[in-house]
């Protein structure tokens, strides 16, 4: 049975593999490192391995597929949920915290379901 660490590592490697260049892989790796440190440093200024401008360029201008990252992450999460389903009759409770996401603009794929 795989541990949660092995599953997390698999997800990280899958996401890194989606990046089209070594520079983007390094930037994503640096950002993930900042998230894991959880020291409260402002991103990207708190990063010691990449410049703030390099991380800003990665997040705002680089040509990597956001859709592929979301799809890969969703696939890994669903795989974990299936592997650890509670017993019959027990409800599965999932909490997705979106409070850290900026709430501005529109994402056309999350439009009105009736459209």
């Amino acid at each position: 049975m795989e541990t949660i660490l092995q599953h997390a590592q698999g997800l990280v490697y899958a996401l890194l593999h989606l990046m089209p260049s070594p520079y983007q892989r390094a930037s994503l790796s640096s950002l993930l490192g900042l998230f894991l440190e959880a020291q409260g440093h402002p991103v990207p200024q708190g990063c010691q391995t990449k410049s703030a401008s390099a991380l800003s360029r990665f997040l705002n201008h680089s040509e990597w597929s956001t859709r592929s990252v979301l799809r890969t992450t969703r696939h890994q999460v669903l795989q974990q949920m299936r592997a650890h389903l509670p017993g019959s009759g027990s409800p599965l409770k999932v909490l997705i915290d979106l409070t850290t996401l900026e709430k501005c603009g529109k994402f056309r794929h999350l439009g009105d379901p009736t459209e």
Side-chain angles (χ1 to χ4, degrees), residues 30-31 33-48 55:
S30 295
L31 282 173
L34 279 175
F35 297 148
L36 291 174
E37 282 178 5
Q39 298 297 317
H41 301 299
V43 174
Q45 291 79 4
C47 186
Q48 301 296 314
L55 293 179

Side-chain angles (χ1 to χ4, degrees), residues 96-111:
I96 300 173
D97 182 8
L98 300 175
T99 57
T100 58
L101 297 178
E102 187 175 349
K103 311 295 191 292
C104 69
K106 283 192 169 188
F107 183 62
R108 64 186 169 124
H109 299 292
L110 295 177

Side-chain angles (χ1 to χ4, degrees), residues 42-91:
V43 174
Q45 291 79 4
C47 186
Q48 301 296 314
T49 57
K50 284 284 196 176
S51 70
S53 61
L55 293 179
S56 177
R57 192 168 41 255
F58 170 75
L59 291 170
N60 297 309
H61 302 290
S62 292
E63 295 295 324
W64 49 273
S65 173
T66 304
R67 185 169 293 192
S68 294
V69 169
L70 292 173
R71 190 176 291 131
T72 300
T73 304
R74 183 182 306 124
H75 174 74
Q76 292 278 349
V77 168
L78 289 174
Q79 204 173 24
Q80 282 303 298
M81 289 171 58
R82 283 187 206 106
H84 297 91
L85 286 174
S88 159
S90 299

Side-chain angles (χ1 to χ4, degrees), residues 19-33:
M19 296 299 112
S21 77
Y23 303 108
Q24 291 171 343
R25 281 190 288 281
S27 293
L28 178 59
S29 182
S30 295
L31 282 173
L32 292 174

